[in-house]
Amino acid sequence: MNRKYRKTVIAGNWKMNMLNSGIKPFMEELKANMPKNRNCDVVLCAPAIMVPAMIKAGKDCKVAAGAQDVSMYEKGAYTGEISADQLSDVGAKYCIVGHSERRQYHGETDIQVNIKAKALLDKGIVPIICVGESLEQREMDLTMEYVAYQVKTALSGIDAAKLRRCIIAYEPIWAIGTGKTATSEQAQEVCEGIRAVIRKIYGARPARAISILYGGSMNAKNAEELLAQPDIDGGLIGGASLKPADFAKIIEASNQEC
């Protein structure tokens, strides 16, 4: 982390878990375990129907509410879709786009990720843009080529002013939900590479200012080591974000001096 230039962000991704009725007790337990002082922004990305309840329950412990996906389309005959305008209307401040599960199960493309990121930015919502390689791509030594393409495509047509409101999350696909985690050195290497890609496009200052999160099975045990890396500015947390005590420990790990 480098707080001199950019924000530290700890974002939870609840995926298709939890119920509205569980949000208030979750927040109460999280608040009880939250460190007294914290040096990061905290976000919980829930299914869109839970965002209003998340906002209400999260006020006391200053947890922002985010969604997990957004439609490419502004409005119209797109049954089941939720637009950026609708997310903004219910108060969502963040939204994940391009998560590997969306890519895998719904065929989401890099072009679609770009369109969605722009739609969110136009409505004042921070996109958490996910990128990452498969195990096969890593074993073929194609990690940075693939990730660089994802980053370039996702940010195409987004100017430097709007880039400041974006977050990139590096999530190696082989480390999501598997219990496997990239070593701190592997994670740092790719996050540093992502920053280098952004530097080539936008210059040194915007690259220095963007927050890059690690999203591959970060948990209470490995968070401190991962967050000690200079180009890892937080985490996109899956399973551990469903456990208030564990999530609080990750938030506490972000308080370390780096």
Side-chain angles (χ1 to χ4, degrees):
M1 297 177 291
N2 189 332
R3 295 195 188 90
K4 180 179 178 181
Y5 296 113
R6 49 192 177 263
K7 288 183 178 181
T8 301
V9 180
I10 303 298
N13 176 14
W14 278 4
K15 305 189 179 184
M16 198 172 68
N17 294 294
M18 300 289 279
L19 299 172
N20 264 2
S21 58
I23 294 176
K24 185 177 179 181
F26 177 96
M27 288 297 185
E28 289 173 348
E29 187 176 348
L30 179 63
K31 184 179 180 181
N33 285 277
M34 192 82 79
K36 290 183 179 180
N37 299 306
R38 72 184 197 214
N39 295 314
C40 66
D41 290 349
V42 179
V43 183
L44 279 170
C45 295
I49 57 170
M50 297 163 68
V51 167
M54 180 74 74
I55 294 169
K56 183 178 180 180
K59 285 181 179 179
D60 285 347
C61 46
K62 297 181 180 178
V63 173
Q68 299 172 355
D69 187 36
V70 67
S71 178
M72 293 169 52
Y73 306 105
E74 184 177 355
K75 61 181 178 179
Y78 302 103
T79 301
E81 296 278 279
I82 298 174
S83 72
D85 200 24
Q86 290 168 329
L87 290 179
S88 176
D89 189 55
V90 297
K93 299 300 182 185
Y94 295 79
C95 184
I96 298 168
V97 290
H99 192 279
S100 62
E101 290 161 2
R102 296 292 311 174
R103 296 174 188 263
Q104 179 181 355
Y105 302 133
H106 300 277
E108 191 162 297
T109 69
D110 294 304
I111 298 296
Q112 288 174 317
V113 172
N114 172 254
I115 294 169
K116 290 181 176 188
K118 289 176 179 175
L120 292 168
L121 289 166
D122 285 346
K123 298 301 177 181
I125 299 172
V126 175
I128 301 174
I129 301 167
C130 297
V131 298
E133 84 283 13
S134 67
L135 181 58
E136 182 180 26
Q137 288 161 338
R138 173 163 283 274
E139 290 176 341
M140 294 176 68
D141 199 26
L142 294 173
T143 294
M144 274 319 304
E145 286 82 354
Y146 185 69
V147 171
Y149 174 81
Q150 289 183 307
V151 172
K152 290 177 182 177
T153 307
L155 298 178
S156 178
I158 294 175
D159 62 28
K162 288 186 176 180
L163 177 73
R164 295 180 64 182
R165 292 165 31 221
C166 295
I167 293 172
I168 305 292
Y170 167 54
E171 44 156 29
I173 297 169
W174 49 272
I176 298 170
T178 63
K180 297 179 181 179
T181 311
T183 66
S184 56
E185 291 80 11
Q186 288 173 323
Q188 163 59 23
E189 181 181 23
V190 179
C191 290
E192 181 181 21
I194 290 170
R195 203 174 303 283
V197 171
I198 295 171
R199 187 180 300 115
K200 286 182 180 179
I201 301 170
Y202 294 96
R205 185 173 293 179
R208 200 166 50 207
I210 192 168
S211 295
I212 300 175
L213 315 184
Y214 174 71
S217 295
M218 183 184 284
N219 56 51
K221 294 181 179 178
N222 62 29
E224 186 171 349
E225 182 180 353
L226 287 163
L227 293 171
Q229 304 304 310
D231 288 289
I232 298 177
D233 306 308
L236 180 57
I237 317 300
S241 71
L242 295 166
K243 303 172 183 177
D246 285 358
F247 194 50
K249 287 179 182 177
I250 297 171
I251 293 166
E252 187 172 7
S254 72
N255 282 344
Q256 65 185 292
E257 294 298 325
C258 297

